[in-house]
Amino acid sequence: MSERVFNFSSGPAVLPVSVLERIRDEILCLPGVGASILEISHRSSSFEAIMASAQSNLRQLLSIPNNYRILFLQGGSRLQFSMIPMNLLRGSGATADYILTGTWGIKAFEEAVKEGPVNVAWDGKSNYKSVPQPSELKISANSAYVYYTSNETIQGVQFATPPAIGRAPLVCDASSDFLCRPLNIADYGLIYACAQKNAGPAGVTIVIIREDLLARGNNDLPGYLRFANHDEENSLYNTPPTFGIYVVDLVAQWLLREMGGLSGILKHNQKKSQLLYDVIDQYPSFYHGHAEPSSRSLMNVTFRLPNDELQTAFLSGAKKHRLHELKGHRSVGGIRASIYNAMPLDGVLALRDFMNEFADQHAGS
Ligand SMILES: *Cc1c(COP(=O)(O)O)cnc(C)c1O
C-alpha cells in the first residue's frame, strides 16, 4: 500500500501531513546543523534551540502563565498515574480526590491508592457514558488535589469545561484532547498529556505544572520520579526524548501557523465531530452512541451497531473506502472513530458518507 489511508487510530495516531513532510525533508540534515535530529546531543546548542522553540510555541498556543513550567518526560501517561501521587500525595497527610469517568481515570486511581489516601469524588460506573454535574462531586475537606480525565479515550466521554472543585489544585489527564481547544492553564495545578494521541509521536509526555507544586515532591523519591529534578535541569535531567520534542514543536507550529491556533482548531474539531454525531442522531435505532449527548467527545466518537455481524460488516466495508482503525477498544467493543486535530475534514466526510450509506443499506434488515 503506497497511498495514505484515513487513519482513525486512537493512538499513536494521525499526524499533520505538513509535519510529516517537514520531518522527511529534515531527517538527514537539520537546516544549519549538518546532522539529523536523531544524531545530535541533547546538550548541543542546536537541540537547546529546539527545546526552547517547543516550550515557547506551547506557551504561546496555550497562553501559559509564567508561574507554570513545561516538562518533557518519558514513561507515557501511565508513569504520570504514579508520579503525580508520588509527588503530590505521598507523605502529605492529605487525601487525593479522583473523578472517574472511564477506563483511564480508573487506572490512575488504582496507582494513586498505592501512594496515600484516595477518595472517589464521583464514579460514572453505570457504563461510563457521562461526566458529573458539579453538585454530584464529593471533594475531601483536606484535598491534596482533585484528579480527572478531560477526555476518556475509550468511552468517548469528554468534559466540556473543567469541573468546579473549589480551592484544591486541579490535576488533569489531557492525553487525548490536549491542544484540541483553548484552555485556561491557571485553572490547573498540573495538566499532562502523552504526545501520541494529539500532539506528536509516542515517547514524550508533556507535563505543565504550577511552580509551587514542585516543592511537594520529597527528596527521597527516585531521582527520575521527582518533578523538581526535571524542572531544575530544564527537562535535561537525563537524555530526553529528543525526536519527540522536535515533533511536538512542529505540531505546535502547525497549529499556530496553519490552523489558527487553538480557537481555530476548536472550530475545526466541532465541525468534524458534529458531522458524525448528526449521523448517529439521524439513525438512533441503528447507531447507538455510547456517550450521552452532553458529554460527547470532540476526539473519540464511540458507537455500536445492532449486532456483531453488522459491526464486522461495517469495519470491512469501511476498509474498502480506505477508512482504517475504526474498531472500538476491546473492553467496550463497537466502533470508535478517533478524529484528532490532524484528521482532515475529508476523512470525516468520507466516514460520514459511508455511515449514511451503510445505514440506508442495513437499517430495518
Ligand atoms: C492513551 C492514554 C493514556 C495512556 O498513555 P500511555 O502513554 O500509553 O501510558 C492515559 N490516559 C489517557 C486519557 C489516554 O488516552
Side-chain angles (χ1 to χ4, degrees), residues 156-191:
V157 165
Q158 186 178 33
F159 282 80
T161 54
I165 52 130
R167 282 181 30 243
L170 185 61
V171 172
C172 177
D173 174 359
S175 294
S176 53
D177 67 357
F178 188 59
L179 305 180
C180 87
R181 59 188 171 191
L183 290 178
N184 180 21
I185 293 294
D187 289 341
Y188 302 90
L190 185 156
I191 180 167

Side-chain angles (χ1 to χ4, degrees), residues 325-340:
E325 303 290 333
L326 284 162
K327 195 170 185 195
H329 189 271
R330 60 192 179 279
S331 64
V332 174
I335 307 292
R336 170 173 54 173
S338 297
I339 50 171
Y340 298 119

Side-chain angles (χ1 to χ4, degrees), residues 122-359:
W122 189 79
D123 188 348
K125 61 184 169 233
S126 57
N127 242 340
Y128 295 102
K129 51 190 169 32
S130 66
V131 303
Q133 295 299 313
S135 61
E136 297 175 309
L137 295 176
K138 297 199 169 56
I139 309 291
S140 312
N142 129 30
S143 178
Y145 60 86
V146 180
Y147 183 104
Y148 80 111
T149 309
S150 51
N151 182 62
E152 281 286 359
T153 322
I154 291 171
Q155 281 78 12
V157 165
Q158 186 178 33
F159 282 80
T161 54
I165 52 130
R167 282 181 30 243
L170 185 61
V171 172
C172 177
D173 174 359
S175 294
S176 53
D177 67 357
F178 188 59
L179 305 180
C180 87
R181 59 188 171 191
L183 290 178
N184 180 21
I185 293 294
D187 289 341
Y188 302 90
L190 185 156
I191 180 167
Y192 73 95
C194 52
Q196 73 270 19
K197 294 353 187 333
N198 208 23
V204 59
T205 298
I206 302 145
V207 175
I208 302 172
I209 181 169
R210 208 175 62 207
E211 229 165 38
D212 60 286
L213 295 175
L214 291 165
R216 283 209 207 168
N218 274 322
N219 257 321
D220 58 8
L221 285 173
Y224 189 89
L225 302 182
R226 186 169 169 262
F227 286 126
N229 291 347
H230 293 280
D231 177 56
E232 282 157 22
E233 305 283 341
N234 192 28
S235 297
L236 301 178
Y237 176 75
N238 70 331
T239 312
T242 48
F243 177 73
I245 295 168
Y246 159 78
V247 179
V248 167
D249 183 34
L250 297 185
V251 169
Q253 290 179 33
W254 169 75
L255 285 166
L256 284 165
R257 293 174 192 163
E258 295 180 44
M259 303 311 289
L262 296 183
S263 50
I265 200 74
L266 171 61
K267 285 202 197 91
H268 191 63
N269 289 330
Q270 285 168 329
K271 179 172 178 183
K272 287 189 299 180
S273 56
Q274 198 57 52
L275 284 165
L276 300 184
Y277 289 122
D278 281 348
V279 185
I280 290 171
D281 291 340
Q282 202 183 322
Y283 297 94
S285 56
F286 191 70
Y287 294 123
H288 306 280
H290 178 81
E292 286 185 357
S294 60
S295 302
R296 283 172 167 173
S297 171
L298 296 168
M299 300 276 98
N300 311 97
V301 178
T302 49
F303 58 93
R304 288 174 170 285
L305 282 86
N307 60 52
D308 287 350
E309 291 71 54
L310 282 170
Q311 227 143 252
T312 308
F314 181 93
L315 289 169
S316 63
K319 218 161 179 181
K320 294 196 184 96
H321 288 73
R322 294 199 303 133
L323 306 166
H324 285 228
E325 303 290 333
L326 284 162
K327 195 170 185 195
H329 189 271
R330 60 192 179 279
S331 64
V332 174
I335 307 292
R336 170 173 54 173
S338 297
I339 50 171
Y340 298 119
N341 286 351
M343 170 55 66
L345 181 61
D346 281 351
V348 174
L349 289 170
L351 176 57
R352 180 212 46 192
D353 292 346
F354 173 70
M355 286 173 73
N356 276 325
E357 190 185 302
F358 193 85

